[in-house]
Amino acid sequence: MSVLQLCRRSSRNFQLAARHTALVSIGSPSCQLASPHVSHLKAQQLNSALYHIHNDHRYYSSSSPKSFATKWLMRRVYAALALLGITGGALILIQSQVRSAADKLSWVENLYPSEIAGRMGRGFDSMSEWLKSSPQESSPAHSGGDVPNRTSRLSASSASPSRISESKDRLLTSEIKELQAKLQSIEKDNYKLRQDLAKASGVDPSKIRGGRKRSLIEMYTDILNLLTDFDAKSNRKDGKFINTLPQVVVVGDQSAGKTSVLEMVANARIFPRGGGEMMTRSPTMVTLSDGPEHVAIFHGSSKVYDLTKERDLCAIRTEIERQMRVSVQSGKTVSSQPISLTVYGPHLKRMVLVDLPGIISTVTTGMAVNTREDIIKMCRQYMQNPNAIIMCIQDGSVDAERSIVTDIVSQMDPEGSRTIFVLTKVDLAEKGGVKQDRMLSILDGQLFPMKALGYYAVVTGRGNSGEGIDEIHKYERDYFARSKLFQNGMLRESQLSTRNMVTAVTEEFWKMVRGSINDQALHFKTLRYNLEAEWRNRYPGGRTLDRDDLFELGKADILTEVASLQVLPPNKWEMILSEGLWDRMAPKVLDIFMAAAQGRSPGEFNTSADIQLHKWADSQELAKLCTEVGLETMFEQLHTKLEDGGEGGANRFHSLSQGLREEIERLGRTQHQWEGYNVDQLKYVQMSALDDKDVQTAEQWEAAVQFMSSSLKKQIRVAEEEMQRMEGPTSYYDRWIRWKGQNELEIKRQAVANELNNFLRAEPSHPNKLYADEVMTVQRVLKTNGYSVSEEDVQYVWERVYDLHFLREAEEVANKCQWGFNLRHHSTEYTCSEVEFFWRVEQVIKSSARTLRVQILDREVRQLEQQVKTTLDSIAGDEGRKREVIRGDAVDKAEQLKQVRMIQEKLDTFREALKTQQRD
């Protein structure tokens, strides 16, 4: 062999040593990949290196020299080169570890080519790192595939491999865990930064999911939530629309482990527990989606719960329990109103699960009598969906004969084409002495009458509520690795563990979604066409404004009309207020006027009237009465404007928003309070007006007489109507045209009134009190006419007869004093103290109306506007109240049409995204 050939083969041996060294350097930190497929990639690199080494071995075997001497010589050369490579690599390793001796050992690297020395160094560095990071414990690995031979044991799949394979697996596992920890830490920091940025920019944090495109499961959940709202607003009880989309319906007997299974799937303890008490009181729709951070968000809420923190876990359990209890109606134990939330987390399977209340066998104290029937009806309603995947949960630690749910599932899905059977608590079953044959018959589908797509056995922990999800998963893996019950090879490994069960359920879920989404999209497309045709026929040319649109229009118009109260002319405000004030003040004023008129001289009249008027004003009774008039007037004007709608507003304020206007008026009248210092101001103004007692000009006198006359005429009409109601139908028109007659009591009262009028005609200035002898005279006269009346009857009739008589006499005084301004100083006959009295009352009314107008425009209207805004905002956030105040068939149809359009558009978008994913 020539020297050239020897050098060539030596070079090949250096390459061979380098490849052997690369086997170790593959797992070094310099090869770390932030990918879930890092194990697969490193395995490919190892296989590639082994392939080249195998080819090198075949090359040297085929091209080895035939002579014995040549073979002997080459063996020595190979041994020397190998020894040289190992020694050099060891020295390089020592150099990398002992930096202080770097100068002394640097000559070793100069003996090797730079590329080979670098590979050797990296390889031995990886070996040193592997030696330092010895794992404390390892979990048995389970493959997801089925074992074809039924007699093979479970432990065979987890048997110990060779030492090199163990080292490789340990190294890769350790590196993957470190990478995942670093990745999660970076993602959490990134998540917090995005939340802070969203809050600073005023964006809803729940709408931000890392700036990425929404996933398929998120789009699917949006459609489910829209369908849930659509069913609720359409008052449909059969769940016709929501139940046509695939969901994973989780059913089981009470305490069978449904909640624990769901928490293992969601990888978080998010459901409340009650220590034996039934906690699941309403359907809970949980959407699982993978994401960088492990968080949960309720539908319609912006609050984000960090599921890695115990405080947030406790908060989300409390919130779920609160929503369940709120949804339950009075007298019920369970509710059909669903709760919706989305859980994001690393490596979560994407699907939608609906957790239903556990089926009970007995109604206990404190439950509604029909609780069991309500739960079974609810479960049947969700399971009757032909596209629903039924996850049937069965407790393995109790007798199979006690199962209720399996019978119901077999009725709803007799072929088992969409049922997944899950046997829980198998560890307790083994400890309880359940026979292997019986367990095998359950998981083979031979014990229960129901059929299923797959049968799975899971372990949900040791029953400790404080146990973490990671601990439960580890306990499940360890149990199936060591369990004597399953190591006999009677069960396939693919039937064991939550991981395999979730994988199977997810595959069936998406298979069902892909198979039914086209029919669902076509169904809503047809529904939209029919609703649009119906709308065009019933409301041609009308805009399809839903409840939210009409509420916003009504809100804007109401606020506009409230603000327009300030632009009413001042003279109109004062005229309306004056009329309202006299209507409310008239009874009290006439009482004071009548009491003062009992005096025999003008001085006595003026003194009595002045005292009573000042007493009325000083007690703030008059001022409070005026504020009531001011409020009533303000709301009457608001009501008028809302009904009229202002310019062009009549079309907007139609019957659909009638309830909203009524609610605003009702709440405004009950909640609005007049400012206290305004009442004090009114009292001061009224006391000042009462001090002005003299009529200065003839025009003022004429105005006072006109006010007195018009006021008295109005009160006379009121008194005459009262007399007519007391006496009954007395006119010829009522008796002969309308065929109405008097009853016995009305006849008696008319007779008493006639007799009392005779007294007043004989003595027009009779005081307002009827004396006892006069009462006896009336009774005696009526008795001779065949009427027996009591003293109370006489006094009752006297009050009404005298009021009418007094008002008519006062009207005569007003007519007599019409020209008394110039004559009152020449004759006591024209003193006319009554006119001066009404003059003072009129001044009080005018000054009060003026003050009320200023207070309304300066303060009360602004306060009312702010109050109306608050009320409208409160209604806007309450869908129930909004439905009460915005009602009508047109708005129901418009809202239904708008929802159908939105659902159909989202279905089309989701279908296109699903097709794109399948093509990719």
Side-chain angles (χ1 to χ4, degrees):
M1 179 181 294
S2 63
V3 176
L4 180 60
Q5 290 176 339
L6 182 62
C7 290
R8 288 177 178 174
R9 296 201 173 180
S10 299
S11 175
R12 295 289 297 176
N13 277 311
F14 273 115
Q15 296 176 8
L16 181 62
R19 284 175 180 169
H20 278 284
T21 307
L23 290 175
V24 182
S25 64
I26 288 174
S28 65
S30 60
C31 297
Q32 292 178 352
L33 297 175
S35 170
H37 305 290
V38 62
S39 301
H40 178 66
L41 294 176
K42 291 190 176 182
Q44 288 183 344
Q45 295 177 13
L46 289 171
N47 292 333
S48 177
L50 292 172
Y51 173 80
H52 287 294
I53 291 173
H54 179 65
N55 287 342
D56 291 338
H57 175 69
R58 292 180 58 189
Y59 170 80
Y60 289 121
S61 299
S62 62
S63 61
S64 60
K66 296 181 180 180
S67 63
F68 176 80
T70 304
K71 291 181 179 179
W72 181 87
L73 178 61
M74 291 198 62
R75 288 193 188 100
R76 271 42 177 191
V77 171
Y78 291 162
L81 290 174
L83 180 61
L84 181 61
I86 293 173
T87 306
L91 293 175
I92 292 174
L93 174 61
I94 295 172
Q95 178 197 10
S96 63
Q97 299 297 323
V98 187
R99 298 300 179 186
S100 61
D103 296 334
K104 297 179 181 180
L105 298 177
S106 60
W107 57 272
V108 179
E109 295 183 3
N110 298 330
L111 296 177
Y112 298 88
S114 59
E115 181 180 1
I116 295 176
R119 291 185 179 182
M120 293 170 64
R122 289 192 297 271
F124 282 99
D125 284 341
S126 299
M127 291 179 63
S128 65
E129 292 294 330
W130 170 71
L131 291 173
K132 291 180 180 179
S133 60
S134 59
Q136 298 178 357
E137 60 181 5
S138 61
S139 302
H142 301 286
S143 62
D146 293 349
V147 179
N149 187 4
R150 189 77 170 174
T151 61
S152 63
R153 295 185 177 274
L154 177 66
S155 59
S157 64
S158 58
S160 300
S162 63
R163 184 173 299 176
I164 296 177
S165 179
E166 278 188 2
S167 302
K168 179 187 69 174
D169 291 342
R170 289 174 181 173
L171 177 62
L172 295 181
T173 303
S174 176
E175 291 181 356
I176 290 172
K177 287 183 178 180
E178 292 179 1
L179 288 173
Q180 288 179 349
K182 292 180 181 178
L183 181 61
Q184 289 181 2
S185 177
I186 294 173
E187 288 174 342
K188 285 183 180 180
D189 295 339
N190 187 24
Y191 170 73
K192 292 179 180 179
L193 289 174
R194 290 199 310 270
Q195 298 298 311
D196 295 340
L197 179 61
K199 292 178 181 179
S201 58
V203 180
D204 186 357
S206 64
K207 305 300 182 184
I208 298 180
R209 301 243 50 90
R212 60 178 171 81
K213 187 178 179 180
R214 292 179 64 80
S215 64
L216 284 174
I217 194 63
E218 291 174 314
M219 298 166 63
Y220 187 79
T221 306
D222 288 344
I223 298 173
L224 286 177
N225 289 326
L226 284 174
L227 287 171
T228 302
D229 296 339
F230 180 76
D231 275 356
K233 294 179 180 179
S234 299
N235 295 322
R236 297 181 179 270
K237 304 299 183 182
D238 55 356
K240 178 179 178 181
F241 297 103
I242 185 68
N243 285 344
T244 55
L245 282 180
Q247 299 173 92
V248 180
V249 180
V250 185
V251 295
D253 300 330
Q254 188 179 12
S255 302
K258 293 189 301 81
T259 300
S260 299
V261 171
L262 287 176
E263 287 180 338
M264 292 181 68
V265 175
N267 206 25
R269 307 295 293 263
I270 60 176
F271 291 101
R273 280 170 165 73
E277 180 186 358
M278 184 177 66
M279 298 302 296
T280 305
R281 297 177 178 269
S282 63
T284 305
M285 188 173 73
V286 182
T287 301
L288 301 179
S289 179
D290 61 341
E293 62 276 355
H294 200 191
V295 297
I297 304 174
F298 284 95
H299 172 58
S301 174
S302 60
K303 181 175 177 56
V304 179
Y305 296 87
D306 188 351
L307 301 183
T308 61
K309 298 179 180 178
E310 185 59 33
R311 181 182 61 184
D312 283 16
L313 285 172
C314 182
I316 196 173
R317 290 193 291 265
T318 303
E319 178 61 19
I320 290 176
E321 183 177 359
R322 185 195 67 81
Q323 291 192 24
M324 285 184 179
R325 295 190 181 277
V326 169
S327 66
V328 176
Q329 298 178 357
S330 178
K332 295 286 186 179
T333 305
V334 294
S335 169
S336 60
Q337 180 179 346
I339 299 172
S340 178
L341 72 154
T342 302
V343 177
Y344 301 89
H347 314 301
L348 287 183
K349 297 292 185 180
R350 298 181 176 183
M351 57 180 167
V352 179
L353 303 101
V354 180
D355 183 24
L356 297 174
I359 300 175
I360 60 176
S361 57
T362 304
V363 177
T364 60
T365 304
M367 293 184 180
V369 178
N370 56 347
T371 299
R372 185 175 186 274
E373 289 73 17
D374 290 344
I375 295 175
I376 294 177
K377 180 181 178 181
M378 189 189 307
C379 293
R380 288 181 180 274
Q381 178 180 340
Y382 276 88
M383 287 190 293
Q384 72 182 0
N385 173 16
N387 297 322
I389 300 171
I390 304 172
M391 185 188 292
C392 180
I393 308 296
Q394 173 63 34
D395 188 350
S397 64
V398 300
D399 295 337
E401 290 75 12
R402 296 167 55 185
S403 175
I404 304 174
V405 67
T406 52
D407 292 337
I408 300 176
V409 172
S410 62
Q411 296 172 9
M412 303 306 298
D413 184 25
E415 300 299 326
S417 59
R418 50 189 181 88
T419 300
I420 301 292
F421 181 86
V422 181
L423 188 67
T424 62
K425 305 179 183 180
V426 292
D427 55 335
L428 300 180
E430 182 179 6
K431 293 178 181 179
V434 178
K435 295 181 179 180
Q436 297 182 9
D437 295 340
R438 188 172 180 83
M439 192 72 65
L440 177 62
S441 63
I442 293 176
L443 294 175
D444 276 345
Q446 298 176 1
L447 184 62
F448 292 110
M450 59 168 288
K451 299 179 182 179
L453 286 171
Y455 299 84
Y456 297 89
V458 299
V459 175
T460 56
R462 300 177 178 88
N464 183 8
S465 60
E467 198 173 14
I469 292 296
D470 293 337
E471 298 177 14
I472 297 176
H473 280 296
K474 182 181 181 303
Y475 173 73
E476 184 185 42
R477 291 194 303 268
D478 294 344
Y479 169 76
F480 284 125
R482 298 189 305 265
S483 173
K484 296 179 181 180
L485 182 64
F486 299 105
Q487 285 181 351
N488 55 12
M490 298 178 68
L491 294 174
R492 294 187 299 271
E493 184 184 359
S494 60
Q495 289 184 278
L496 311 177
S497 78
T498 306
R499 181 195 62 185
N500 292 331
M501 180 269 295
V502 171
T503 301
V505 173
T506 306
E507 291 176 357
E508 291 298 327
F509 171 76
W510 285 106
K511 184 189 300 182
M512 196 73 75
V513 169
R514 288 188 290 269
S516 62
I517 192 65
N518 291 331
D519 294 339
Q520 188 71 14
L522 179 61
H523 169 73
F524 270 90
K525 185 176 182 180
T526 305
L527 181 61
R528 173 180 177 176
Y529 175 82
N530 294 335
L531 288 175
E532 287 177 343
E534 182 182 359
W535 179 268
R536 288 193 298 269
N537 293 331
R538 296 183 62 178
Y539 311 102
R543 294 175 57 193
T544 55
L545 300 176
D546 65 353
R547 188 167 277 102
D548 292 334
D549 296 333
L550 288 172
F551 178 81
E552 292 301 324
L553 287 176
K555 176 181 178 181
D557 285 340
I558 288 174
L559 293 175
T560 301
E561 299 304 336
V562 172
S564 68
L565 292 175
Q566 294 182 328
V567 300
L568 283 176
N571 57 347
K572 183 177 180 180
W573 268 113
E574 293 184 15
M575 180 186 68
I576 298 172
L577 288 169
S578 297
E579 293 177 356
L581 286 172
W582 171 247
D583 291 338
R584 293 291 300 276
M585 293 169 60
K588 182 68 175 179
V589 169
L590 292 177
D591 288 343
I592 296 174
F593 178 61
M594 187 180 297
Q598 302 305 313
R600 296 300 179 180
S601 64
E604 292 179 0
F605 177 89
N606 292 333
T607 302
S608 176
D610 186 65
I611 292 174
Q612 293 188 61
L613 287 175
H614 275 87
K615 182 179 179 180
W616 187 29
D618 188 57
S619 64
Q620 289 193 347
E621 182 181 351
L622 175 59
K624 292 178 180 179
L625 184 144
C626 291
T627 59
E628 294 174 2
V629 173
L631 281 175
E632 186 67 27
T633 304
M634 182 174 65
F635 282 107
E636 284 179 355
Q637 293 302 308
L638 176 63
H639 175 79
T640 302
K641 283 186 167 294
L642 293 180
E643 289 296 325
D644 295 342
E647 296 182 1
N651 293 330
R652 292 194 296 271
F653 281 103
H654 46 75
S655 60
L656 298 178
S657 59
Q658 178 69 26
L660 180 61
R661 301 194 305 272
E662 293 175 353
E663 183 71 3
I664 292 299
E665 290 184 36
R666 183 185 68 81
L667 293 176
R669 292 176 184 273
T670 57
Q671 296 177 2
H672 192 88
Q673 299 292 331
W674 205 272
E675 295 292 342
Y677 62 84
N678 286 339
V679 177
D680 295 334
Q681 184 181 15
L682 277 170
K683 172 187 171 181
Y684 174 78
V685 169
Q686 291 163 356
M687 294 290 288
S688 300
L690 288 174
D691 292 337
D692 186 8
K693 302 177 182 180
D694 296 330
V695 181
Q696 301 294 330
T697 63
E699 290 79 7
Q700 293 177 349
W701 182 271
E702 183 179 354
V705 171
Q706 185 178 358
F707 172 70
M708 178 180 176
S709 178
S710 61
S711 300
L712 291 173
K713 286 180 180 179
K714 184 184 296 185
Q715 296 304 315
I716 288 173
R717 288 194 296 271
V718 174
E720 289 175 345
E721 292 174 358
E722 182 66 20
M723 283 290 298
Q724 185 178 0
R725 285 192 297 270
M726 183 187 70
E727 295 179 349
T730 58
S731 64
Y732 286 101
Y733 176 81
D734 290 334
R735 293 166 60 186
W736 299 103
I737 303 300
R738 302 178 64 185
W739 291 90
K740 290 185 176 182
Q742 295 174 299
N743 56 35
E744 184 178 353
L745 178 62
E746 291 172 344
I747 293 174
K748 288 182 180 181
R749 288 177 175 176
Q750 184 182 16
V752 173
N754 292 335
E755 191 63 29
L756 293 175
N757 283 324
N758 293 332
F759 282 3
L760 294 174
R761 279 193 291 271
E763 188 181 357
S765 59
H766 193 288
N768 61 346
K769 183 179 179 180
L770 186 65
Y771 298 103
D773 57 340
E774 294 174 330
V775 173
M776 294 176 63
T777 302
V778 172
Q779 290 176 325
R780 187 171 52 254
V781 172
L782 292 177
K783 189 174 183 179
T784 60
N785 296 329
Y787 300 108
S788 177
V789 295
S790 63
E791 182 180 355
E792 290 77 10
D793 292 336
V794 176
Q795 293 291 348
Y796 176 81
V797 176
W798 167 254
E799 292 178 2
R800 285 143 185 82
V801 170
Y802 182 82
D803 288 348
L804 181 59
H805 169 75
F806 178 81
L807 292 172
R808 287 172 177 171
E809 290 293 322
E811 184 182 18
E812 292 295 329
V813 172
N815 295 331
K816 180 180 178 181
C817 294
Q818 186 173 5
W819 310 104
F821 177 75
N822 297 321
L823 300 176
R824 60 180 179 160
H825 299 293
H826 303 284
S827 174
T828 57
E829 184 181 359
Y830 295 98
T831 304
C832 296
S833 299
E834 295 84 355
V835 176
E836 293 178 352
F837 174 83
F838 276 92
W839 158 258
R840 298 175 68 187
V841 172
E842 185 181 20
Q843 298 309 305
V844 170
I845 292 176
K846 288 183 178 180
S847 59
S848 298
R850 191 180 308 112
T851 305
L852 284 173
R853 188 260 302 172
V854 174
Q855 291 178 353
I856 289 174
L857 298 183
D858 288 353
R859 175 64 181 174
E860 302 302 328
V861 170
R862 296 177 186 176
Q863 183 181 354
L864 176 63
E865 185 176 5
Q866 185 62 38
Q867 176 185 327
V868 170
K869 287 181 179 179
T870 303
T871 303
L872 289 170
D873 292 340
S874 175
I875 297 175
D878 191 336
E879 289 296 328
R881 293 181 65 188
K882 193 183 296 184
R883 290 181 64 85
E884 292 176 358
V885 299
I886 305 293
R887 54 184 180 266
D889 183 67
V891 65
D892 291 338
K893 290 294 182 184
E895 191 168 38
Q896 188 181 33
L897 179 56
K898 183 176 181 179
Q899 289 177 323
V900 169
R901 286 173 177 171
M902 185 181 301
I903 292 171
Q904 191 231 330
E905 292 171 359
K906 286 187 175 293
L907 279 170
D908 291 341
T909 303
F910 174 76
R911 187 172 55 171
E912 292 300 322
L914 191 62
K915 291 180 180 179
T916 302
Q917 186 192 59
Q918 291 176 340
R919 288 195 298 267
D920 296 341

